[in-house]
Structure formats: C-alpha cells, structure tokens
Amino acid sequence: MARHRAISGTVPIGAAALAVSGLISCLSGMPAQGAEATTAPVESAAVESAAVESAGAKSVGAKSVIPPAAVSPPVWKRCIGLPKPAPGLAKPPAGFRCATLKVPLDYADPSGRKIDIALIRTTAAEPDRRIGSLLFNFGGPGGDGVDTLARFAGQYAELGKRYDLVAFDPRGVGRSTPVTCVGDRRMDEIVARDDSPDTAAEEKAYLDDRTAYAAGCAARAGYLLPHVGTRNAAGDMEVIRTALGEEKLNYFGISYGTWLGGSYARQFPDRVGRAVLDAAVDTKIGSLDLALQQAASFQRALGDFGAACARLGRKHCPMGADGPSVVASIGRIMDGLDRRPLPTSTGRRLTQSLATTGVAAGLYSRAAWPYLAQGLADAVKRRDGSLLLMLADTHNGRRENGTYTNLAAANTAVTCADGADRHTPAGVRRLLPRFRAASPVFGTTMAWSLLECTGWPVAGDDAAREVSAPSAAPILVIGNTGDPATPYAWAPALTKELGGRATLLTLRGDGHGAYDTGDPCVRETVHAYLLQGTVPAGGATCG
C-alpha cells in the first residue's frame, strides 16, 4: 500500500500486464523467476464540498451487515466489455458470467441508499470435485477485480479446477459505484506534474494541485467518500459470501488484498474458510513508517535490478558496469528529466515524475526487468522516453485510448478513509533527509506523497488498521524477501497481528508477491492449503 500513486505498492506490474498494454515482446537475458514467465497483477451525483468537509469515514461493524434473508443471490449474465486473456493464458473452459449486487452505502442505515458491487465468476472446471467459491482481491486500494480476473484467470487454473473463481470491484472502484475526481485530460497533467518540488514555486504548484484534486473528489463523489474504507469493503465481502450461498469465505488476497482479508477476519472470524494473504501489508504502522520502509524497499529492489542489468554488458545496459553504477546512472537520468523531459512516440513528454513511476513499475516483477532495462537504454542512447512512458501509463491505469481507470481516485479515497494521519508541508520538509537517505531515487517523491490526505474532505478512521483475529481458521500469510512494494518485514508483522493460527510462508525471491512469480514451491504449498486444507509448518521457506 503506498502513499503515492506514482509508486503504489499494490498495483503489481508483470510481463503479462505489459504485453497487454502493447509493449515489446520479452527480451532474453533476464529470465523470469520461477516456472512461468507470465505474471498476473500481481485496480454519481454531485454534492457540495461542505456536505463532506465535516464527515468522518464510516465503518461497518460485524453486527451491522444486512441479514442473510435480505441478500438476494446474484443474477449471473453475459459479461460486457471484458478484456481478452493476457498473452499465454487461456480463457477458462466455462467462460465468465457477471452480476451486480446492491449493498448499503452506509451499513449503519441498511435500508437507506444502495450502491453497486460488480462481480465476475468462472465456475469450477471439475464440478464433481468442487470445493466452493474462491474470492479474489488482486490489490489496490483501487485495483479492479472484474477485468483482472478476466485477464489472468489462467494463472489460477489449478485452483479453478475445484473452485469457482470469483472477483469483485470493491466499493468505489471500476464497475462498482466508482469514486471519480477529475477528467482524463486533467489526469494526464496530474501524473506528469513535478511531484518532487525543489523550489518554493514548485512546492506551491504541487500543493495547489493537491487541494484542487481533493475538491474535485468532493464535488463529484462526496456522498461516497465517507463509506469507501476497508472495513466497509470487508462488509461487502460478507454480503458476497451470503449471496454466493457459501458457509465460509475462501479468499485469495494480494498486497492491499491482505489488509482487506485481515479486516474481514477481524470482523467475521467464524466465517473465515481457507484464506491466502500474499504480499502482506503491516496494517499497524503509520503512514510515515509505511512510506519510509517502502522507499527503502524500492531502492533495494533497484539495486538488485542494477546488478542484473550490469551483467548483460554495456550493449544492453549502457547505464553502468556494476549494480551501484547502474543505480547512480538512473538517479542522474531522473535528475536530468527534471530539467529536460524526453520526447516519446506518443507526442507526450516523459517527465521526471512519469519516469520515476515507470522505473518503479518495472521493479514489480523480475519478468518486467527486461522492459525496464530497454526503456532506460533507450533514454540514454536514443533520448527516447517511449518505453518508460508505457510502463508508467500501465501503472497509472491509462488506457491506449487516453482514458484512465479510476485507480488513482479510488486509491486516494480508500487510503484517506483508512487512516487519521494528516501531514503538513513543513513536516515533509523536515523529513526529506530521512527519505533521501532511505532512497536517493524514490525518497523525495515518497516524502511529498505523505500529503496525499492533507486537506481531504473526510477524516480517516484508524479502526481499519485492526486485524487481530485469533479465533479465525488458519490463515496463510506469504512474504517475498525481494518485494519492492510490500517489504518482507510486513509479512511476519501481519502474521503476528492476525494471531491465532496464522502461518507465515517466506519466498526468497524478487518481485511483488510470491504466488504469481510462478515459484513451484510456493504454488505447491498454496495448492496444498487451498485444495487439501494442508497448513504448512510455521516458518516454511521457498526459493
């Protein structure tokens, strides 16, 4: 989970996602970790601003979810406008069906206004051996589930033999009732703006942009903002479980999805079935420590990439002869873009902010490293920023036609609903040395991103951070030692916070998440747990 959209820790970029976006075919020289080279993602009525300025985030409680008798089964219909499966992945034999559930906007007023929750399902390939439904959240906050499952269901084919694979767009996201803040042209300006201001004028422009963005969210989606927090999304999951007719909720959450899964376990411990939480988030740390730790983790991943890049030689990696020199060269490239953005084949310019996003995106998966190496080489040798811009666009939710998903808006809305931290510009200035020490490349951007919720029209609720669920069934938590976006230390922390019979599995690898790296050991362990109910011994390690 990140404090800044430019380096969001919960929207993984893998080789498959890049290929869908029209990027070059995979280069040789940096083989993907594990058995598979294709990786999955690992994302209204106007009201006056005054209507939400004094509002606080509204959380659901375990006893306030609507009663089962009031929940209607989904009406599954033909899906409209789904993306094609990612290259190398097959569409499930049963195809997909879609549905929409109505849930309360405010669980404290279950008979009041309703909002939509979009669902997608593919039924078990072996119905005679069916276990039940397996609900996915692929990350965020703000990441969609409907389109992601349509693209990457093939990654979970082994699980899909015995489970109905089900995903949803959480409240505020995508095909569900969405949070919207600005138009597409304005989003182009926002993602390209200078998000590491060096002068008083740049700082003022940055702060003015943040203020205007928050006002846009309040104007377009003010009624929704107090109700999009993680605890409410977990309440929606309980409604989904009931609607599917399942006695227990079997769940696979990735990145932010681990926080969401933990919140569900906290509120509905007796309804937890088999739950995998991969790329774990430490929900108890504040926004400052989260951003600092994430900045250091991205810098560490950049060092690993730099060492691998240097081994390719100067022809393919002209940035340096060894890891440290490659990283230093990347820093200089970023600094140069602050003064002189690069042209691209799209006619847009690659700014420092977009390049920082592109580099971060390329670190999410080892399978994406070749794209990152080529993009940096193009910037150095040809002064062409096209490939780095494509990486950034994929990460920012920008489609080829120039429109955006609502990833950024939903990400900010959920983040600000889930925490009461509100930082100040003066505080950020004092913190800049710590962030730059943690990450010379990403630190400044990460520091200024602490202002994401400053001036937000809804007060956050720290209750969302509580995930203790000692009475829940065994939960499998997974951490990857080389994860740039959710540092490995967060996995044992989440395991401890869950308590009870939560069990930690460690992958010694690279990239965001573990299952989608294709590591055979991780997959075998997850399959044994989800398909046979076999819980690994505590402290098990793969890789």
Side-chain angles (χ1 to χ4, degrees):
M1 259 279 313
R3 308 304 301 180
H4 190 341
R5 280 297 321 125
I7 313 177
S8 175
T10 54
V11 187
I13 298 296
L18 300 179
V20 167
S21 297
L23 294 178
I24 59 173
S25 59
C26 192
L27 304 173
S28 61
M30 288 186 188
Q33 173 188 328
E36 300 179 21
T38 300
T39 60
V42 199
E43 14 157 354
S44 77
V47 300
E48 295 183 7
S49 300
V52 292
E53 282 180 352
S54 60
K58 308 293 187 181
S59 294
V60 64
K63 296 182 180 180
S64 62
V65 173
I66 53 181
V71 179
S72 300
V75 179
W76 297 103
K77 300 179 179 180
R78 182 175 65 87
C79 300
I80 298 174
L82 290 182
K84 295 179 180 179
L89 297 178
K91 187 177 181 179
F96 295 104
R97 304 293 280 178
C98 292
T100 301
L101 288 181
K102 296 288 186 180
V103 301
L105 170 68
D106 185 350
Y107 278 103
D109 181 19
S111 62
R113 185 172 184 172
K114 302 296 191 292
I115 58 173
D116 291 341
I117 300 296
L119 296 173
I120 186 172
R121 180 179 72 172
T122 180
T123 54
E126 299 178 6
D128 293 344
R129 303 177 65 223
R130 180 181 179 274
I131 296 171
S133 299
L134 181 62
L135 184 67
F136 284 83
N137 180 279
F138 297 100
D144 64 72
V146 172
D147 286 5
T148 300
L149 186 65
R151 291 167 63 192
F152 296 105
Q155 276 285 72
Y156 307 96
E158 188 65 26
L159 299 173
K161 292 178 181 179
R162 300 188 61 197
Y163 281 103
D164 296 347
L165 305 183
V166 182
F168 69 112
D169 288 357
R171 55 173 56 210
V173 176
R175 297 170 188 250
S176 295
T177 302
V179 173
T180 58
C181 295
V182 297
D184 295 319
R185 287 189 178 181
R186 181 64 182 131
M187 274 302 300
D188 270 346
E189 296 171 354
I190 288 172
V191 297
R193 74 182 176 197
D194 190 339
D195 57 13
S196 55
D198 306 307
T199 66
E202 289 178 353
E203 182 180 321
K204 182 179 184 304
Y206 178 81
L207 297 175
D208 288 348
D209 268 359
R210 284 234 180 252
T211 300
Y213 186 79
C217 298
R220 293 185 179 212
Y223 78 98
L224 188 57
L225 298 183
H227 306 282
V228 295
T230 295
R231 283 171 55 83
N232 286 312
D236 297 338
M237 288 168 56
E238 176 62 2
V239 176
I240 292 170
R241 179 200 65 78
T242 303
L244 293 174
E246 302 290 355
E247 182 66 22
K248 302 283 186 178
L249 181 73
N250 300 308
Y251 178 73
F252 198 134
I254 302 169
S255 198
Y256 164 74
T258 67
W259 186 335
L260 181 57
S263 182
Y264 181 87
R266 169 68 175 176
Q267 297 179 74
F268 310 101
D270 60 330
R271 294 301 186 183
V272 175
R274 298 171 185 174
V276 172
L277 307 182
D278 184 5
V281 176
D282 183 353
T283 67
K284 287 299 189 70
I285 59 175
S287 57
L288 170 57
D289 287 334
L290 185 150
L292 270 172
Q293 291 175 30
Q294 195 178 54
S297 194
F298 269 103
Q299 190 71 28
R300 183 165 52 250
L302 186 63
D304 293 341
F305 161 79
C309 185
R311 288 194 290 271
L312 298 178
R314 287 283 189 164
K315 180 178 179 180
H316 299 291
C317 185
M319 288 77 71
D322 55 28
S325 62
V326 170
V327 171
S329 179
I330 292 171
R332 289 192 295 271
I333 293 170
M334 300 298 110
D335 290 343
L337 290 171
D338 192 28
R339 300 182 296 273
R340 186 183 175 192
L342 286 180
T344 72
S345 59
T346 67
R348 296 157 60 211
R349 309 284 286 182
L350 180 75
T351 64
Q352 182 187 44
S353 297
L354 285 166
T356 302
T357 303
V359 172
L363 297 177
Y364 273 88
S365 168
R366 192 179 182 95
W369 285 8
Y371 303 112
L372 177 55
Q374 184 64 56
L376 290 165
D378 287 349
V380 170
K381 298 167 75 172
R382 299 170 49 207
R383 290 203 53 77
D384 181 0
S386 301
L387 190 48
L388 288 178
L389 180 63
M390 285 185 173
L391 282 163
D393 284 349
T394 302
H395 193 79
N396 285 330
R398 190 182 195 273
R399 305 183 183 97
E400 290 185 13
N401 64 2
T403 64
Y404 283 82
T405 69
N406 83 318
L407 171 62
N411 180 281
T412 299
V414 177
T415 297
C416 298
D418 278 353
D421 289 351
R422 300 294 186 261
H423 297 272
T424 66
V428 168
R429 291 185 214 105
R430 289 193 296 270
L431 289 167
L432 281 172
R434 292 179 63 187
F435 275 87
R436 288 167 176 160
S439 174
V441 173
F442 304 108
T444 301
T445 294
M446 294 294 286
W448 284 105
S449 75
L450 289 172
L451 299 178
E452 178 179 21
C453 299
T454 300
W456 191 249
V458 174
D461 182 3
D462 282 330
R465 298 185 180 279
E466 183 55 63
V467 296
S468 175
S471 65
I475 296 173
L476 179 58
V477 180
I478 312 175
N480 186 341
T481 57
D483 196 315
T486 51
Y488 172 74
W490 294 358
L494 180 60
T495 306
K496 182 178 179 180
E497 289 156 12
L498 289 165
R501 292 173 285 173
T503 299
L504 175 64
L505 172 66
T506 298
L507 171 64
R508 299 189 183 282
D510 294 299
H512 186 42
Y515 184 89
D516 290 326
T517 67
D519 180 83
C521 170
V522 170
R523 294 214 163 187
E524 289 171 8
T525 304
V526 170
H527 294 166
Y529 169 67
L530 287 176
L531 299 175
Q532 284 86 44
T534 303
V535 181
T541 301
C542 293

